[in-house]
Amino acid sequence: MSNGETQVAQASGERGEHSMAFHNIKTIAKREISGYFASPVAYVFIVIFLLLTGFFTFMVGRFFDRGEASLAAFFLWHPWLYLFLVPSVGMRLWSEERRLGTIELLLTMPVSPWQAIVGKFLASWAFLALALVLTFPLVFTVNYLGDPDFGVILCGYIGSLFMAGAYLAVTCMTSALTRNQVVSFIISVVLCLFLILAGWPPVLEMLIKWADPGLVDTVAAFSVVTHFDSVQLGVLDSRDLIYFLSIMVFSLFTTGVIIRGHRAG
Amino acid sequence: MIKVDNLVKTFGPKRAVDGISFTVERGEVLGFLGPNGAGKSTTMRMVTGFIPPTAGRISVGGHDVVDQPIAAKRLIGYLPENAPAYADMTVLGFLSFAAEMRGLTGEARRKAVNRVVEMCFLESVVHQSVDTLSKGYRHRTCFAQSIIHDPPVLILDEPTDGLDPNQKHEVRTLIRRMGEKKAIVFSTHILEEVDAACTRAIIIDRGKIVANGTPEQLRSRSEQAGAVALRVAGIPAADVTAKLRELPTVRKSQVLAEAAGFATVRAYPNPDGRNGALQESLFELAVRQNWKLAELRTEEGRMDEVFRSITLPDTMPAANKTEESK
């Protein structure tokens, strides 16, 4: 047995199945993140994200006119901001693999498809988290101007991150559908828009005129806005987090089904 | 190491692979030949576990590829068709990633990367990003990825595609050398490669195996195998063929060229003209007739002719047309 084979055998022998899975996910996630920073995409995205959050918070959200020490004006716009920004981060995840043909390399390596899906998803999610963390000067600003409730702010950040994760999982699913990034972007924007509109007050008001209140509640329960609003107000209800998590699990599971479908031909 | 049993893959109504069986042991290099769309790539994709088979079984190193994919994939190194690689990575980053995915970390990873960089002559481009590489370098980068964990099984889909003649030669030498210790399957439509690198070859057409044997065995199926070419000065070719026809050892003859006073004729052997008898009788004939013999040579079979006659059953094989000249 040659040297390399011995090493591989040892490597797989020493680690259990679980730590092997963890190793694979970590390796795939690491590659994906370095992929973002190897091109200008990451920097362009972060700059645009920060500029837009600033614009919406201060200009459109009238942060200073509100006269309250909270980040409500900041979080208010996140469902809409993410509508375009998250699909632009996630659209390449699988479509690029299919376009380049590297999916054939990736899935013939000793990893299971779900490890690859989770690894890629976590990488993009971590990247979005980084962008979100870079909005920290806002926290300092409210702290300087007044006496904010840090619990509410933390809740807002957690809710925002989970919402980004839900959008991202939807994008992940659409990017597995096509080898064209633009198509993947458009489909995920439409799907995410639906998730917003289902709970957007103007739509609900329209529905309430003719629909049963129970039905209106059901529709609203499917919306990210309904769930994000309560989190953002400082109520970290497990049901809201479960809502976001179930969108992620469902979308990533569907991603797996789609990828298996492609391979089965 | 590789055992494929009655493999079938259908895409809709089309049977891309239709009941293929073969085995490859350590120390064997199996060449996969066949026209485009014959099912070579599909077979390889199933063996590497990328696409599931519609029916049939594949086992690699005793592990069933469908039931124990991870264990099987650990033993396989794979170079897909067109040599895909992550465009946004450097060669070094890409190979490190491949090593890590194969469970190599730290010092072992560094060593493995250095080894394949040296084997595949990638030193000059290690820090270059993959999308700036020329086709030859990208191909070799992907090839390097497939051998990074020194796998006992190597599946190579057109490993010499897009390389220049020198690089082709290097890759063939590499395959032959590695084939001493590994089980290798590679596909190609360059026939000389079969001679250069394979211990055994399979010809696939329309999803089925139509020929299977060593390169010599395949070549001997050629019409030309054992035929004798004869070059004579100063005599019209028609006269030569007329005389040849009288010999009992000659089944038929064919004029290859007639120019500058030389007639070149090929004689095909009868059953009793095999094993040198034909050449001997032709020599005796030339002596009897006082021909000025410029050349007398027994021909080997030609792989491309075997390939054509096997994979084109609808059109008349080129060799049959020579019947007319008799």
Side-chain angles (χ1 to χ4, degrees), chain B residues 199-275:
Chain B
T199 57
R200 203 151 54 86
I202 284 178
I203 302 182
I204 300 181
D205 189 30
R206 287 167 235 193
K208 288 192 163 83
I209 294 182
V210 288
N212 181 357
T214 64
E216 292 77 33
Q217 284 169 345
L218 289 183
R219 257 205 317 270
S220 67
R221 295 175 60 156
S222 158
E223 266 258 304
Q224 255 159 286
V228 174
L230 172 85
R231 204 148 77 103
V232 184
I235 299 171
D239 292 359
V240 177
T241 51
K243 289 286 178 205
L244 287 181
R245 243 176 285 165
E246 291 162 9
L247 287 177
T249 48
V250 175
R251 180 163 61 84
K252 64 176 183 178
S253 61
Q254 175 194 8
V255 178
L256 295 177
E258 185 169 16
F262 284 97
T264 311
V265 176
R266 181 188 288 147
Y268 293 89
N270 260 338
D272 50 350
R274 297 238 178 244
N275 299 325

Side-chain angles (χ1 to χ4, degrees), chain A residues 80-142:
Chain A
W80 295 97
L81 212 52
Y82 286 163
L83 178 61
F84 294 100
L85 291 179
V86 174
S88 72
V89 168
M91 64 185 182
R92 63 194 279 279
L93 280 178
W94 286 99
S95 53
E96 187 76 351
E97 291 270 352
R98 289 186 58 199
R99 195 178 62 81
L100 291 173
T102 44
I103 189 168
E104 200 169 337
L105 277 184
L106 185 63
L107 296 180
T108 52
M109 286 174 172
V111 291
S112 63
W114 74 264
Q115 289 165 358
I117 291 169
V118 170
K120 278 171 163 288
F121 171 77
L122 287 181
S124 302
W125 204 15
F127 175 71
L128 289 171
L130 173 72
L132 197 57
V133 164
L134 288 178
T135 60
F136 69 90
L138 272 175
V139 182
F140 289 138
T141 310
V142 282

Side-chain angles (χ1 to χ4, degrees), chain A residues 2-5 7-8 11-12 15 17 20 23-24 26-28 30-32 34-36 38-39 92 96-97 100-113 115 120 260 262-265, chain B residues 9-12 26 45 48-52 70 73-74 76 78-81 84-89 94 97-98 100-105 108-109 111-112 115 142 145 149-152 157 181-182:
Chain A
S2 60
N3 214 12
E5 265 173 65
Q7 283 157 356
V8 173
S12 48
R15 302 193 191 108
E17 276 304 307
M20 222 34 220
H23 170 83
N24 289 341
K26 196 183 74 182
T27 308
I28 290 171
K30 208 169 75 183
R31 197 209 72 75
E32 204 62 47
S34 68
Y36 280 120
S39 64
R92 63 194 279 279
E96 187 76 351
E97 291 270 352
L100 291 173
T102 44
I103 189 168
E104 200 169 337
L105 277 184
L106 185 63
L107 296 180
T108 52
M109 286 174 172
V111 291
S112 63
Q115 289 165 358
K120 278 171 163 288
R260 200 166 58 215
H262 287 313
R263 292 164 68 195
Chain B
K9 180 73 193 179
T10 55
F11 294 111
R26 235 179 233 271
R45 284 176 168 174
T48 53
F50 180 61
I51 55 176
I70 306 291
K73 284 172 184 176
R74 270 202 195 108
I76 304 176
Y78 178 38
L79 171 68
E81 201 178 3
Y86 289 105
D88 52 13
M89 299 180 98
F94 176 65
F97 166 70
E100 227 167 295
M101 290 300 288
R102 299 296 188 169
L104 299 165
T105 48
R109 184 186 71 178
K111 266 191 195 154
R115 186 176 60 88
C142 196
Q145 163 279 131
H149 52 306
D150 199 7
D157 201 347
K181 285 180 294 181
K182 300 180 193 300

Side-chain angles (χ1 to χ4, degrees), chain B residues 135-181:
Chain B
K135 195 172 178 193
Y137 273 116
R138 205 191 64 210
H139 224 92
R140 277 188 282 171
T141 302
C142 196
F143 184 67
Q145 163 279 131
S146 70
I147 56 174
I148 198 148
H149 52 306
D150 199 7
V153 173
L154 207 48
I155 312 279
L156 309 168
D157 201 347
E158 298 187 8
T160 57
D161 181 44
L163 302 182
D164 69 33
N166 291 333
Q167 295 166 337
K168 279 192 168 103
H169 179 76
E170 278 159 22
V171 168
R172 274 177 222 153
T173 315
L174 200 59
I175 290 174
R176 206 174 40 214
R177 212 176 64 217
M178 289 191 302
E180 289 162 13
K181 285 180 294 181

